[in-house]
Structures are given as structure tokens and as C-alpha cells.
Amino acid sequence: MAGTTAQKPQRRMRPCPICSKLSTPDDYPFCSDRCAKIDMNRWFTGSYAIPAVETDDIDESNIPED
């Protein structure tokens, strides 16, 4: 088996989640290192946070008494 090199399986080129250009094998799923760093910054600054809905403010005046 001399002379054969193992290759990574080819992934489908998909749009970059940041700029929508086609992704590259080296920076998958991004198109470049720049877009990967933009995404990382968004994670670090909390841009991708899901807002929590507080339910502690229940109006107890509408609850019927037994």
C-alpha cells in the first residue's frame, strides 16, 4: 500500500452561515477564517443567547378561591 494517501471525505459545499458564500474544506462550515472568527465573537459576546421568559409575575387576583 505504499504511495496511497488517506484523504478526508469530501463534504458538500454549503453556504457560509455568516456571509452566504460557499464554504471551503479548510474552514468548513465557513468560507474563511474571518467568518469563523466573526461567529466565535458572536458566541463570546452573547449574541446567540436565547432570552429567558420569566413567569414569576403571575396575577393572583384572577385565581378563583374555593
Side-chain angles (χ1 to χ4, degrees), residues 11 14-18 21-24 27-31:
R11 294 183 177 175
R14 298 185 185 271
C16 174
I18 304 299
K21 292 180 184 177
L22 288 178
S23 62
T24 61
D27 297 304
Y28 188 84
F30 306 101
C31 69

Side-chain angles (χ1 to χ4, degrees), residues 3-63:
T4 60
T5 58
Q7 294 182 0
K8 289 197 275 186
Q10 294 293 322
R11 294 183 177 175
R12 285 182 53 186
M13 292 175 58
R14 298 185 185 271
C16 174
I18 304 299
C19 70
S20 300
K21 292 180 184 177
L22 288 178
S23 62
T24 61
D26 293 336
D27 297 304
Y28 188 84
F30 306 101
C31 69
S32 65
D33 185 54
R34 177 183 176 272
C35 284
K37 288 179 180 177
I38 290 171
D39 183 71
M40 184 66 70
N41 184 52
R42 289 180 181 174
W43 281 105
F44 286 150
T45 60
S47 296
Y48 290 143
I50 299 172
V53 178
E54 298 293 329
T55 58
D56 291 343
D57 300 333
I58 298 174
D59 184 14
E60 295 180 11
S61 64
N62 294 335
I63 298 175

